Amino acid sequence: MGSVRKQGRRPNTWQLDYPGPNGRVRSTIRASSKTEAERVLKQREGDVARGRPLFTSADKVTFEELTTLVVRDYELNGKRSAGKTKVNVRRLQEFFGGWRAVNVTATAVGTYIEKRLKAGFSNGSVNRELSTLRRAFRLAVKAKLLSADHVPTIDLLKEAPPRAGFFEADQFEAVLRHLRPEVVPIAKFANETGWRLREIITLEWRQVDLNVGTVRLDPGTTKNRDGRLAYVSPALLECLRAQHVATRELEREKGVIIPWVFHRRGGKILRFLASWQTACRMAGVPGMFFHDLRRTAVRNMVRAGVPERVAMMVSGHKTRSVFERYNIVSEGDLRDAAKRVGNLHARNGQDHESRQTSFVLSRGPSKNPTHGAIDP
């Protein structure tokens, strides 16, 4: 039989002593109470009874080793969210730094969540950090540093509904009137294609065919790593041609080559948040994001009758869940649904009236002279 006893004067530290396959096993764990330590002991004894590997070295795995695994995984796979993952790791280390991995229990995770929420962080921000923690544990199991039993239960918090901002045509035109000149073509491009801001401001002329009217994104440069090709409307094509003429004139004036489609006096545009916020405020739509143009573009394509599969190919969405998150429904589909329901009710009413008439005719004239008379 195994035993649990307090380990020295260190808080929440317990020593487990139990029979293993090759003799007695002694390991030190951190637990908030003796009851929790006994639960871990029973789990270890159960593993021995079922012949599972004990992962006795798991007690030596530190939290820093877990976070190193997850950061390296993002960097080696070239994921663009590696920077955000490092931020999540720093926030997690503020709480779990120096801990052993086996001591990161569901109870400890719950305490971490409470601390983050009290600090004013949103459920969404906390969930991103919890997702990084969960990924770190899964990688440790894959690397055979820990067993699946060492992975704590990490439940994500309920988040607020996704933002559903859209620009109506008159609102968008009002914003264009107040935008800086170099930002206007960027906004027009986003409003039609639904491309992400990063994808637009990094466009080069080599990716644009002004004769055919196409714009392409190279594989590996998009969020989902896939390449993309889009045909633009005549109006947007004229905008791009005017941008091309202005760029060539600026190149002759400065004597330099400008590879960017959208630029600020030849220099690459990195941000224009202040300009955008000012234009939205002056247009009477304060608080609107540039990303709202992405939602607007997809909704406009659906409204225009573009099949959802094609709209997703243009905007670069990989799954149909975007239509559920954006709550995009074709108004034509809604009108058609109402028309179909109305037709069904009308047919049901006609069928019911027809059955009543057939029933009366099949019975013939009534022998009761008062049948069908109106009671005075």
Side-chain angles (χ1 to χ4, degrees):
M1 297 295 293
S3 61
V4 174
R5 65 186 181 88
K6 198 77 172 58
Q7 178 67 31
R9 297 182 179 180
R10 298 171 61 185
N12 301 331
T13 305
W14 308 85
Q15 186 180 71
L16 305 184
D17 187 330
Y18 56 96
N22 300 314
R24 304 293 296 185
V25 177
R26 294 181 178 85
S27 62
T28 303
I29 66 168
R30 290 190 65 184
S32 59
S33 64
K34 185 175 182 179
T35 300
E36 184 176 349
E38 289 174 343
R39 180 185 60 80
V40 176
L41 174 64
K42 291 179 180 179
Q43 178 181 312
R44 301 278 181 90
E45 291 176 333
D47 289 341
V48 173
R50 288 187 289 269
R52 292 180 179 177
L54 286 179
F55 287 90
T56 53
S57 60
D59 294 332
K60 301 179 181 179
V61 178
T62 64
F63 178 78
E64 283 69 22
E65 290 180 75
L66 298 188
T67 55
T68 299
L69 285 175
V70 72
V71 171
R72 183 184 303 162
D73 175 68
Y74 274 84
E75 290 178 340
L76 291 179
N77 289 285
K79 297 179 181 179
R80 288 173 53 186
S81 54
K84 295 180 180 179
T85 299
K86 292 179 181 179
V87 173
N88 294 337
V89 165
R90 284 198 298 270
R91 291 172 176 172
L92 289 165
Q93 285 179 333
E94 292 175 2
F95 185 88
F96 294 111
W99 284 41
R100 294 181 181 180
V102 294
N103 295 329
V104 182
T105 62
T107 302
V109 173
T111 304
Y112 173 80
I113 293 174
E114 292 177 2
K115 179 181 178 182
R116 298 296 288 168
L117 293 177
K118 287 181 179 179
F121 288 87
S122 67
N123 287 13
S125 297
V126 175
N127 281 346
R128 303 296 85 76
E129 298 162 15
L130 295 179
S131 296
T132 299
L133 179 62
R134 188 156 58 181
R135 176 67 176 164
F137 270 100
R138 289 174 178 172
L139 290 173
V141 172
K142 185 177 180 180
K144 299 188 182 305
L145 296 177
L146 302 174
S147 73
D149 294 331
H150 291 127
V151 180
T153 300
I154 304 177
D155 295 323
L156 300 184
L157 303 173
K158 183 178 180 180
E159 298 187 31
R163 180 178 171 83
F166 298 98
F167 281 98
E168 299 300 336
D170 58 335
Q171 294 174 335
F172 178 64
E173 291 299 327
V175 172
L176 289 181
R177 289 194 293 270
H178 297 287
L179 275 178
R180 296 179 61 87
E182 68 270 15
V183 182
V184 170
I186 297 177
K188 289 182 177 180
F189 192 95
N191 187 61
E192 178 172 317
T193 64
W195 286 12
R196 299 174 180 88
L197 176 59
R198 180 185 177 88
E199 297 169 344
I200 299 174
I201 61 177
T202 56
L203 271 177
E204 299 182 13
W205 286 113
R206 63 179 179 80
Q207 299 168 266
V208 181
D209 190 327
L210 295 175
N211 296 320
V212 181
T214 60
V215 185
R216 61 181 173 81
L217 289 174
D218 300 327
T221 61
T222 64
K223 185 177 180 179
N224 57 26
R225 318 301 293 176
D226 293 339
R228 198 182 312 153
L229 176 70
Y231 283 81
V232 299
S233 68
L236 184 56
L237 180 57
E238 285 304 313
C239 177
L240 291 176
R241 286 173 175 168
Q243 184 77 2
H244 186 261
V245 171
T247 302
R248 292 296 172 257
E249 291 178 354
L250 186 60
E251 286 179 335
R252 288 192 292 270
E253 175 186 332
K254 290 192 168 185
V256 297
I257 299 297
I258 303 174
W260 319 112
V261 176
F262 306 106
H263 52 86
R264 183 179 286 118
R265 294 293 297 171
K268 186 176 180 180
I269 296 178
L270 299 177
R271 61 182 64 87
F272 49 84
L273 178 60
S275 171
W276 175 263
Q277 291 176 337
T278 300
C280 289
R281 185 174 63 255
M282 296 180 68
V285 287
M288 295 292 283
F289 298 154
F290 185 88
H291 193 77
D292 292 331
L293 292 176
R294 180 164 168 81
R295 300 182 181 87
T296 303
V298 176
R299 185 186 65 169
N300 289 344
M301 282 187 274
V302 175
R303 279 180 170 180
V306 177
E308 292 180 357
R309 179 182 60 83
V310 178
M312 291 167 59
M313 292 175 61
V314 174
S315 62
H317 291 103
K318 215 167 187 179
T319 64
R320 193 186 179 281
S321 61
V322 63
F323 293 96
E324 299 171 358
R325 289 192 295 109
Y326 289 1
N327 195 25
I328 298 173
V329 180
S330 168
E331 294 179 359
D333 290 343
L334 295 178
R335 286 193 297 268
D336 184 60
K339 184 178 179 180
R340 289 174 182 268
V341 172
N343 291 340
L344 175 63
H345 290 324
R347 287 197 302 271
N348 289 341
Q350 291 173 358
D351 292 343
H352 177 73
E353 182 179 350
S354 175
R355 287 194 297 270
Q356 288 292 94
T357 302
S358 299
F359 176 73
V360 172
L361 292 177
S362 65
R363 293 185 60 185
S366 174
K367 296 180 180 180
N368 186 352
T370 63
H371 177 75
I374 299 178
D375 189 16

